[in-house]
Amino acid sequence: MYKYLIAMIFAVVMGGLSLSAQRRITPVTPADPGSKPSVTDVKTKIDPSRLVTTTDANGNTITVDTVTGQEYVDSTLLKAPPKMEYPLLHEVIAGVNVWDPIMRALGQKYGLGDVWGEVSLHNRYFPFFAVGLGNCNDTPVDKNYTFKTPLAPYFKIGASYNFFYNSNPDYKLQMGLRYGFSTYKWSVLDVTVDEGYWQDPTHYSLDNLSHTAGYIEVTFGLKVKIAGPISAGWTLVYHSVLHESKSPYGKPMYIPGYGKRNGAFTANFSVMYTLPINKKPVPEVTE
C-alpha cells in the first residue's frame, strides 16, 4: 500500500517539474541586478497583450516586449533598449540667429533676427523657444507699390531630436518641429492704377492694416563646436502658414519670423553658447 502511494507522489512531482520546465514565460526584471533579465514570473508583472512571439532564421522562438523593445529567447535577453549616455538635464543652449542681419547687409529688404534657447534632455531631446523682431520695407522690382511692416515681434516654440544623442554633444544632427506666431501691421503705399483711355493714373494706399498669422516649421540642422562653449550651426527650414486673419485686401506678402511667401524653404545660421548643467559622469578607475 505504501509503495503504491510513494510511487504516485513521485510521479506527480516529476510530472509537475516537467510541465514547469516546458511552460512559456515572459520577460521581467531579474532578482539579481547584476544578471541579465530573464523571462520568469511575467504574468504578475507584465501585460501579456504587449508580448509578441516570433521565430528567427535559426528556428529559435523569440519573445518581444513591444513596449520596451526587449527581445528574449530561452530566458536570455537578446537586445536591450539603448542606454542614455548623458543625464536628463544635460545642457542649456542659447543662440542668436544671425541669418537675417547678414542678408540685410547684402541687400535684403526684410527680417531682423531672433534669440533662442533650448534645453538638452539626455542630449537627445531639445525643447525650444525663440523670440525675435521683424520688419519689411520693400518695393518689388516691376511692381507699382511699396510694402511696409513696422517693427513687430514674433515667437516660436517647439522641439528637436538629435540623431547623435550618444555621441559627442559638441556635434549634433537634429530634426525639429516648431510653431511660430506673430501679430503685426502692414501697409501698401503708393499703389498706382492706370485709368485706361485717359491715361491718367490714380494713386492710393492701404495703411496700418492689422494682421495675425501662425505657421509651422520643419527643421533639419547641424551644430559644430567652434571654440570652448561657442558653437555654430546651419538649419534648413520648410515652413507653411497654418492660419491667419482674413483681409478684404488680400494676404500680406511678409510675415515676421516667417519671411516672404515666395517659397516653402528658407534657412538660418546661428551662433550658440552652451552652458553645462550636468556633465557626463566619468567612470571610476579601480586599482
Side-chain angles (χ1 to χ4, degrees), residues 96-136:
V96 178
N97 180 8
V98 297
W99 175 264
D100 278 342
I102 293 174
M103 297 305 293
R104 289 296 289 262
L106 296 176
Q108 181 175 282
K109 302 298 184 181
Y110 60 89
L112 284 179
D114 55 56
V115 295
W116 55 267
E118 60 183 11
V119 179
S120 171
L121 306 179
H122 291 304
N123 193 41
R124 189 174 190 178
Y125 309 104
F126 292 80
F128 171 93
F129 179 78
V131 58
L133 294 171
N135 75 334
C136 180

mmCIF file of all heavy atoms in Angstrom, residues 96-136:
data_model
loop_
_atom_site.group_PDB
_atom_site.id
_atom_site.type_symbol
_atom_site.label_atom_id
_atom_site.label_comp_id
_atom_site.label_asym_id
_atom_site.label_seq_id
_atom_site.Cartn_x
_atom_site.Cartn_y
_atom_site.Cartn_z
ATOM 1 N N VAL A 96 21.819 82.966 -31.139
ATOM 2 C CA VAL A 96 21.411 84.173 -31.856
ATOM 3 C C VAL A 96 21.367 83.827 -33.337
ATOM 4 O O VAL A 96 22.367 83.383 -33.909
ATOM 5 C CB VAL A 96 22.388 85.339 -31.618
ATOM 6 C CG1 VAL A 96 21.952 86.570 -32.412
ATOM 7 C CG2 VAL A 96 22.496 85.664 -30.134
ATOM 8 N N ASN A 97 20.220 84.040 -33.948
ATOM 9 C CA ASN A 97 20.065 83.796 -35.389
ATOM 10 C C ASN A 97 20.577 85.021 -36.141
ATOM 11 O O ASN A 97 19.968 86.082 -36.103
ATOM 12 C CB ASN A 97 18.603 83.524 -35.715
ATOM 13 C CG ASN A 97 18.372 83.273 -37.191
ATOM 14 O OD1 ASN A 97 19.308 83.148 -37.975
ATOM 15 N ND2 ASN A 97 17.106 83.211 -37.580
ATOM 16 N N VAL A 98 21.690 84.846 -36.808
ATOM 17 C CA VAL A 98 22.316 85.988 -37.500
ATOM 18 C C VAL A 98 22.089 85.936 -39.009
ATOM 19 O O VAL A 98 22.680 86.722 -39.749
ATOM 20 C CB VAL A 98 23.828 86.039 -37.197
ATOM 21 C CG1 VAL A 98 24.070 86.264 -35.720
ATOM 22 C CG2 VAL A 98 24.526 84.756 -37.666
ATOM 23 N N TRP A 99 21.238 85.039 -39.459
ATOM 24 C CA TRP A 99 20.988 84.904 -40.891
ATOM 25 C C TRP A 99 20.385 86.175 -41.480
ATOM 26 O O TRP A 99 20.879 86.726 -42.472
ATOM 27 C CB TRP A 99 20.076 83.719 -41.140
ATOM 28 C CG TRP A 99 19.643 83.536 -42.566
ATOM 29 C CD1 TRP A 99 18.473 83.967 -43.131
ATOM 30 C CD2 TRP A 99 20.369 82.886 -43.616
ATOM 31 N NE1 TRP A 99 18.409 83.620 -44.457
ATOM 32 C CE2 TRP A 99 19.569 82.949 -44.779
ATOM 33 C CE3 TRP A 99 21.599 82.252 -43.689
ATOM 34 C CZ2 TRP A 99 19.971 82.403 -45.992
ATOM 35 C CZ3 TRP A 99 22.011 81.701 -44.891
ATOM 36 C CH2 TRP A 99 21.191 81.788 -46.033
ATOM 37 N N ASP A 100 19.301 86.677 -40.871
ATOM 38 C CA ASP A 100 18.649 87.877 -41.399
ATOM 39 C C ASP A 100 19.541 89.110 -41.360
ATOM 40 O O ASP A 100 19.571 89.880 -42.331
ATOM 41 C CB ASP A 100 17.342 88.128 -40.655
ATOM 42 C CG ASP A 100 16.203 87.272 -41.195
ATOM 43 O OD1 ASP A 100 16.337 86.758 -42.319
ATOM 44 O OD2 ASP A 100 15.183 87.113 -40.493
ATOM 45 N N PRO A 101 20.286 89.363 -40.252
ATOM 46 C CA PRO A 101 21.196 90.514 -40.287
ATOM 47 C C PRO A 101 22.219 90.428 -41.422
ATOM 48 O O PRO A 101 22.535 91.436 -42.065
ATOM 49 C CB PRO A 101 21.876 90.468 -38.910
ATOM 50 C CG PRO A 101 20.876 89.808 -38.033
ATOM 51 C CD PRO A 101 20.208 88.790 -38.890
ATOM 52 N N ILE A 102 22.744 89.218 -41.673
ATOM 53 C CA ILE A 102 23.695 89.063 -42.775
ATOM 54 C C ILE A 102 23.026 89.339 -44.115
ATOM 55 O O ILE A 102 23.576 90.044 -44.981
ATOM 56 C CB ILE A 102 24.302 87.643 -42.751
ATOM 57 C CG1 ILE A 102 25.180 87.463 -41.513
ATOM 58 C CG2 ILE A 102 25.104 87.375 -44.021
ATOM 59 C CD1 ILE A 102 25.712 86.055 -41.336
ATOM 60 N N MET A 103 21.817 88.799 -44.297
ATOM 61 C CA MET A 103 21.106 89.016 -45.551
ATOM 62 C C MET A 103 20.701 90.479 -45.732
ATOM 63 O O MET A 103 20.714 90.997 -46.850
ATOM 64 C CB MET A 103 19.878 88.114 -45.614
ATOM 65 C CG MET A 103 20.193 86.625 -45.600
ATOM 66 S SD MET A 103 21.350 86.136 -46.906
ATOM 67 C CE MET A 103 20.342 86.419 -48.362
ATOM 68 N N ARG A 104 20.361 91.162 -44.629
ATOM 69 C CA ARG A 104 20.046 92.591 -44.730
ATOM 70 C C ARG A 104 21.278 93.371 -45.189
ATOM 71 O O ARG A 104 21.175 94.312 -45.983
ATOM 72 C CB ARG A 104 19.559 93.129 -43.376
ATOM 73 C CG ARG A 104 18.176 92.655 -42.949
ATOM 74 C CD ARG A 104 17.079 93.135 -43.864
ATOM 75 N NE ARG A 104 16.786 94.534 -43.775
ATOM 76 C CZ ARG A 104 15.788 95.056 -43.064
ATOM 77 N NH1 ARG A 104 14.987 94.265 -42.357
ATOM 78 N NH2 ARG A 104 15.558 96.342 -43.073
ATOM 79 N N ALA A 105 22.440 92.973 -44.687
ATOM 80 C CA ALA A 105 23.674 93.648 -45.104
ATOM 81 C C ALA A 105 23.969 93.428 -46.583
ATOM 82 O O ALA A 105 24.634 94.244 -47.220
ATOM 83 C CB ALA A 105 24.845 93.147 -44.257
ATOM 84 N N LEU A 106 23.419 92.310 -47.123
ATOM 85 C CA LEU A 106 23.628 92.000 -48.543
ATOM 86 C C LEU A 106 22.510 92.547 -49.433
ATOM 87 O O LEU A 106 22.484 92.267 -50.628
ATOM 88 C CB LEU A 106 23.753 90.489 -48.723
ATOM 89 C CG LEU A 106 24.969 89.848 -48.045
ATOM 90 C CD1 LEU A 106 24.929 88.334 -48.214
ATOM 91 C CD2 LEU A 106 26.272 90.419 -48.597
ATOM 92 N N GLY A 107 21.578 93.313 -48.842
ATOM 93 C CA GLY A 107 20.556 93.961 -49.649
ATOM 94 C C GLY A 107 19.146 93.452 -49.466
ATOM 95 O O GLY A 107 18.203 93.974 -50.095
ATOM 96 N N GLN A 108 18.920 92.461 -48.606
ATOM 97 C CA GLN A 108 17.552 92.003 -48.350
ATOM 98 C C GLN A 108 16.758 93.106 -47.661
ATOM 99 O O GLN A 108 17.288 93.833 -46.829
ATOM 100 C CB GLN A 108 17.597 90.739 -47.480
ATOM 101 C CG GLN A 108 16.231 90.146 -47.164
ATOM 102 C CD GLN A 108 16.360 88.837 -46.414
ATOM 103 O OE1 GLN A 108 16.645 87.797 -46.990
ATOM 104 N NE2 GLN A 108 16.160 88.891 -45.097
ATOM 105 N N LYS A 109 15.484 93.220 -47.992
ATOM 106 C CA LYS A 109 14.662 94.331 -47.509
ATOM 107 C C LYS A 109 13.745 93.955 -46.352
ATOM 108 O O LYS A 109 12.882 94.741 -45.967
ATOM 109 C CB LYS A 109 13.807 94.877 -48.655
ATOM 110 C CG LYS A 109 14.615 95.346 -49.859
ATOM 111 C CD LYS A 109 15.540 96.497 -49.510
ATOM 112 C CE LYS A 109 16.270 97.007 -50.746
ATOM 113 N NZ LYS A 109 17.194 98.120 -50.428
ATOM 114 N N TYR A 110 13.902 92.773 -45.766
ATOM 115 C CA TYR A 110 13.011 92.359 -44.676
ATOM 116 C C TYR A 110 13.776 91.479 -43.697
ATOM 117 O O TYR A 110 14.843 90.945 -44.002
ATOM 118 C CB TYR A 110 11.808 91.594 -45.219
ATOM 119 C CG TYR A 110 12.177 90.330 -45.986
ATOM 120 C CD1 TYR A 110 12.307 89.108 -45.347
ATOM 121 C CD2 TYR A 110 12.413 90.374 -47.355
ATOM 122 C CE1 TYR A 110 12.655 87.970 -46.039
ATOM 123 C CE2 TYR A 110 12.749 89.241 -48.060
ATOM 124 C CZ TYR A 110 12.863 88.041 -47.403
ATOM 125 O OH TYR A 110 13.212 86.914 -48.101
ATOM 126 N N GLY A 111 13.192 91.353 -42.477
ATOM 127 C CA GLY A 111 13.777 90.499 -41.450
ATOM 128 C C GLY A 111 14.795 91.214 -40.590
ATOM 129 O O GLY A 111 15.483 92.131 -41.042
ATOM 130 N N LEU A 112 14.891 90.814 -39.318
ATOM 131 C CA LEU A 112 15.898 91.356 -38.416
ATOM 132 C C LEU A 112 16.675 90.241 -37.715
ATOM 133 O O LEU A 112 17.881 90.157 -37.819
ATOM 134 C CB LEU A 112 15.270 92.292 -37.385
ATOM 135 C CG LEU A 112 14.872 93.678 -37.899
ATOM 136 C CD1 LEU A 112 14.243 94.481 -36.779
ATOM 137 C CD2 LEU A 112 16.091 94.424 -38.446
ATOM 138 N N GLY A 113 15.983 89.350 -36.998
ATOM 139 C CA GLY A 113 16.668 88.276 -36.300
ATOM 140 C C GLY A 113 15.986 87.920 -35.001
ATOM 141 O O GLY A 113 15.001 88.560 -34.588
ATOM 142 N N ASP A 114 16.494 86.878 -34.344
ATOM 143 C CA ASP A 114 15.898 86.429 -33.084
ATOM 144 C C ASP A 114 16.957 85.827 -32.185
ATOM 145 O O ASP A 114 18.074 85.511 -32.604
ATOM 146 C CB ASP A 114 14.773 85.423 -33.338
ATOM 147 C CG ASP A 114 15.215 84.223 -34.170
ATOM 148 O OD1 ASP A 114 16.174 83.548 -33.762
ATOM 149 O OD2 ASP A 114 14.597 83.966 -35.222
ATOM 150 N N VAL A 115 16.582 85.696 -30.916
ATOM 151 C CA VAL A 115 17.379 84.958 -29.943
ATOM 152 C C VAL A 115 16.556 83.761 -29.497
ATOM 153 O O VAL A 115 15.332 83.817 -29.461
ATOM 154 C CB VAL A 115 17.771 85.831 -28.735
ATOM 155 C CG1 VAL A 115 18.695 86.956 -29.168
ATOM 156 C CG2 VAL A 115 16.532 86.403 -28.053
ATOM 157 N N TRP A 116 17.226 82.672 -29.166
ATOM 158 C CA TRP A 116 16.500 81.470 -28.813
ATOM 159 C C TRP A 116 17.259 80.667 -27.763
ATOM 160 O O TRP A 116 18.435 80.894 -27.498
ATOM 161 C CB TRP A 116 16.252 80.612 -30.050
ATOM 162 C CG TRP A 116 17.479 80.234 -30.836
ATOM 163 C CD1 TRP A 116 18.008 80.894 -31.907
ATOM 164 C CD2 TRP A 116 18.349 79.119 -30.597
ATOM 165 N NE1 TRP A 116 19.137 80.272 -32.353
ATOM 166 C CE2 TRP A 116 19.374 79.166 -31.579
ATOM 167 C CE3 TRP A 116 18.363 78.079 -29.677
ATOM 168 C CZ2 TRP A 116 20.394 78.216 -31.629
ATOM 169 C CZ3 TRP A 116 19.366 77.127 -29.726
ATOM 170 C CH2 TRP A 116 20.366 77.198 -30.697
ATOM 171 N N GLY A 117 16.566 79.734 -27.162
ATOM 172 C CA GLY A 117 17.179 78.864 -26.171
ATOM 173 C C GLY A 117 16.568 77.479 -26.246
ATOM 174 O O GLY A 117 15.414 77.306 -26.668
ATOM 175 N N GLU A 118 17.339 76.490 -25.859
ATOM 176 C CA GLU A 118 16.835 75.130 -25.789
ATOM 177 C C GLU A 118 17.535 74.391 -24.650
ATOM 178 O O GLU A 118 18.635 74.751 -24.241
ATOM 179 C CB GLU A 118 17.009 74.380 -27.113
ATOM 180 C CG GLU A 118 18.429 74.233 -27.586
ATOM 181 C CD GLU A 118 18.535 73.550 -28.944
ATOM 182 O OE1 GLU A 118 17.500 73.370 -29.607
ATOM 183 O OE2 GLU A 118 19.671 73.196 -29.335
ATOM 184 N N VAL A 119 16.857 73.355 -24.140
ATOM 185 C CA VAL A 119 17.373 72.548 -23.040
ATOM 186 C C VAL A 119 17.683 71.154 -23.576
ATOM 187 O O VAL A 119 16.867 70.560 -24.279
ATOM 188 C CB VAL A 119 16.360 72.461 -21.878
ATOM 189 C CG1 VAL A 119 16.909 71.599 -20.743
ATOM 190 C CG2 VAL A 119 16.026 73.852 -21.369
ATOM 191 N N SER A 120 18.851 70.653 -23.230
ATOM 192 C CA SER A 120 19.258 69.318 -23.660
ATOM 193 C C SER A 120 18.782 68.288 -22.643
ATOM 194 O O SER A 120 19.184 68.317 -21.479
ATOM 195 C CB SER A 120 20.785 69.238 -23.809
ATOM 196 O OG SER A 120 21.197 67.901 -24.026
ATOM 197 N N LEU A 121 17.920 67.373 -23.088
ATOM 198 C CA LEU A 121 17.457 66.265 -22.259
ATOM 199 C C LEU A 121 18.113 64.987 -22.771
ATOM 200 O O LEU A 121 17.795 64.524 -23.871
ATOM 201 C CB LEU A 121 15.928 66.144 -22.319
ATOM 202 C CG LEU A 121 15.134 67.407 -21.968
ATOM 203 C CD1 LEU A 121 13.638 67.142 -22.088
ATOM 204 C CD2 LEU A 121 15.478 67.884 -20.558
ATOM 205 N N HIS A 122 19.036 64.459 -22.011
ATOM 206 C CA HIS A 122 19.794 63.261 -22.397
ATOM 207 C C HIS A 122 20.610 63.473 -23.681
ATOM 208 O O HIS A 122 20.986 62.500 -24.337
ATOM 209 C CB HIS A 122 18.867 62.061 -22.602
ATOM 210 C CG HIS A 122 18.242 61.539 -21.348
ATOM 211 N ND1 HIS A 122 18.982 61.146 -20.252
ATOM 212 C CD2 HIS A 122 16.937 61.318 -21.024
ATOM 213 C CE1 HIS A 122 18.156 60.702 -19.299
ATOM 214 N NE2 HIS A 122 16.921 60.812 -19.740
ATOM 215 N N ASN A 123 20.839 64.737 -24.076
ATOM 216 C CA ASN A 123 21.488 65.036 -25.363
ATOM 217 C C ASN A 123 20.685 64.459 -26.534
ATOM 218 O O ASN A 123 21.206 64.291 -27.638
ATOM 219 C CB ASN A 123 22.916 64.482 -25.394
ATOM 220 C CG ASN A 123 23.740 65.024 -26.543
ATOM 221 O OD1 ASN A 123 23.689 66.204 -26.871
ATOM 222 N ND2 ASN A 123 24.490 64.147 -27.209
ATOM 223 N N ARG A 124 19.410 64.199 -26.305
ATOM 224 C CA ARG A 124 18.566 63.556 -27.319
ATOM 225 C C ARG A 124 17.370 64.421 -27.702
ATOM 226 O O ARG A 124 17.064 64.586 -28.882
ATOM 227 C CB ARG A 124 18.089 62.205 -26.800
ATOM 228 C CG ARG A 124 17.380 61.348 -27.846
ATOM 229 C CD ARG A 124 17.072 59.969 -27.294
ATOM 230 N NE ARG A 124 16.604 59.059 -28.345
ATOM 231 C CZ ARG A 124 16.302 57.785 -28.151
ATOM 232 N NH1 ARG A 124 16.413 57.262 -26.931
ATOM 233 N NH2 ARG A 124 15.900 57.027 -29.148
ATOM 234 N N TYR A 125 16.689 64.985 -26.710
ATOM 235 C CA TYR A 125 15.505 65.805 -26.952
ATOM 236 C C TYR A 125 15.802 67.242 -26.541
ATOM 237 O O TYR A 125 16.405 67.486 -25.494
ATOM 238 C CB TYR A 125 14.299 65.280 -26.168
ATOM 239 C CG TYR A 125 14.058 63.801 -26.378
ATOM 240 C CD1 TYR A 125 14.419 62.874 -25.395
ATOM 241 C CD2 TYR A 125 13.491 63.322 -27.556
ATOM 242 C CE1 TYR A 125 14.217 61.521 -25.589
ATOM 243 C CE2 TYR A 125 13.275 61.974 -27.752
ATOM 244 C CZ TYR A 125 13.646 61.074 -26.760
ATOM 245 O OH TYR A 125 13.449 59.727 -26.954
ATOM 246 N N PHE A 126 15.332 68.218 -27.358
ATOM 247 C CA PHE A 126 15.676 69.618 -27.142
ATOM 248 C C PHE A 126 14.433 70.511 -27.254
ATOM 249 O O PHE A 126 14.098 70.971 -28.347
ATOM 250 C CB PHE A 126 16.735 70.063 -28.155
ATOM 251 C CG PHE A 126 18.077 69.429 -27.968
ATOM 252 C CD1 PHE A 126 18.330 68.153 -28.434
ATOM 253 C CD2 PHE A 126 19.091 70.105 -27.305
ATOM 254 C CE1 PHE A 126 19.564 67.556 -28.248
ATOM 255 C CE2 PHE A 126 20.341 69.525 -27.117
ATOM 256 C CZ PHE A 126 20.576 68.242 -27.589
ATOM 257 N N PRO A 127 13.713 70.747 -26.152
ATOM 258 C CA PRO A 127 12.650 71.758 -26.170
ATOM 259 C C PRO A 127 13.226 73.117 -26.557
ATOM 260 O O PRO A 127 14.323 73.478 -26.121
ATOM 261 C CB PRO A 127 12.116 71.744 -24.731
ATOM 262 C CG PRO A 127 12.523 70.407 -24.183
ATOM 263 C CD PRO A 127 13.822 70.065 -24.849
ATOM 264 N N PHE A 128 12.450 73.872 -27.346
ATOM 265 C CA PHE A 128 12.986 75.081 -27.997
ATOM 266 C C PHE A 128 12.009 76.235 -27.831
ATOM 267 O O PHE A 128 10.783 76.065 -27.899
ATOM 268 C CB PHE A 128 13.202 74.769 -29.476
ATOM 269 C CG PHE A 128 13.553 75.956 -30.342
ATOM 270 C CD1 PHE A 128 14.874 76.280 -30.591
ATOM 271 C CD2 PHE A 128 12.562 76.743 -30.920
ATOM 272 C CE1 PHE A 128 15.203 77.359 -31.392
ATOM 273 C CE2 PHE A 128 12.876 77.824 -31.719
ATOM 274 C CZ PHE A 128 14.200 78.135 -31.950
ATOM 275 N N PHE A 129 12.565 77.448 -27.621
ATOM 276 C CA PHE A 129 11.754 78.667 -27.583
ATOM 277 C C PHE A 129 12.565 79.811 -28.171
ATOM 278 O O PHE A 129 13.764 79.927 -27.916
ATOM 279 C CB PHE A 129 11.333 79.015 -26.153
ATOM 280 C CG PHE A 129 10.520 80.289 -26.074
ATOM 281 C CD1 PHE A 129 9.182 80.284 -26.430
ATOM 282 C CD2 PHE A 129 11.105 81.472 -25.658
ATOM 283 C CE1 PHE A 129 8.429 81.451 -26.365
ATOM 284 C CE2 PHE A 129 10.363 82.641 -25.592
ATOM 285 C CZ PHE A 129 9.019 82.627 -25.954
ATOM 286 N N ALA A 130 11.907 80.668 -28.977
ATOM 287 C CA ALA A 130 12.589 81.807 -29.606
ATOM 288 C C ALA A 130 11.688 83.032 -29.578
ATOM 289 O O ALA A 130 10.454 82.923 -29.648
ATOM 290 C CB ALA A 130 12.970 81.480 -31.049
ATOM 291 N N VAL A 131 12.318 84.193 -29.495
ATOM 292 C CA VAL A 131 11.612 85.461 -29.622
ATOM 293 C C VAL A 131 12.442 86.355 -30.538
ATOM 294 O O VAL A 131 13.678 86.388 -30.443
ATOM 295 C CB VAL A 131 11.385 86.124 -28.239
ATOM 296 C CG1 VAL A 131 12.700 86.350 -27.516
ATOM 297 C CG2 VAL A 131 10.613 87.430 -28.379
ATOM 298 N N GLY A 132 11.765 87.056 -31.447
ATOM 299 C CA GLY A 132 12.501 87.877 -32.403
ATOM 300 C C GLY A 132 11.705 89.086 -32.856
ATOM 301 O O GLY A 132 10.546 89.280 -32.473
ATOM 302 N N LEU A 133 12.345 89.891 -33.697
ATOM 303 C CA LEU A 133 11.729 91.079 -34.269
ATOM 304 C C LEU A 133 11.909 91.044 -35.780
ATOM 305 O O LEU A 133 12.959 90.619 -36.283
ATOM 306 C CB LEU A 133 12.368 92.347 -33.702
ATOM 307 C CG LEU A 133 12.162 92.621 -32.206
ATOM 308 C CD1 LEU A 133 13.044 93.791 -31.765
ATOM 309 C CD2 LEU A 133 10.692 92.909 -31.900
ATOM 310 N N GLY A 134 10.885 91.479 -36.493
ATOM 311 C CA GLY A 134 10.964 91.542 -37.940
ATOM 312 C C GLY A 134 10.287 92.783 -38.483
ATOM 313 O O GLY A 134 9.377 93.330 -37.865
ATOM 314 N N ASN A 135 10.743 93.255 -39.635
ATOM 315 C CA ASN A 135 10.084 94.355 -40.324
ATOM 316 C C ASN A 135 10.351 94.212 -41.814
ATOM 317 O O ASN A 135 11.133 93.365 -42.249
ATOM 318 C CB ASN A 135 10.539 95.717 -39.795
ATOM 319 C CG ASN A 135 11.934 96.084 -40.269
ATOM 320 O OD1 ASN A 135 12.746 95.214 -40.559
ATOM 321 N ND2 ASN A 135 12.214 97.374 -40.333
ATOM 322 N N CYS A 136 9.688 95.045 -42.594
ATOM 323 C CA CYS A 136 9.848 94.976 -44.046
ATOM 324 C C CYS A 136 9.614 96.360 -44.640
ATOM 325 O O CYS A 136 8.703 97.093 -44.216
ATOM 326 C CB CYS A 136 8.852 93.976 -44.639
ATOM 327 S SG CYS A 136 8.936 93.787 -46.437
#
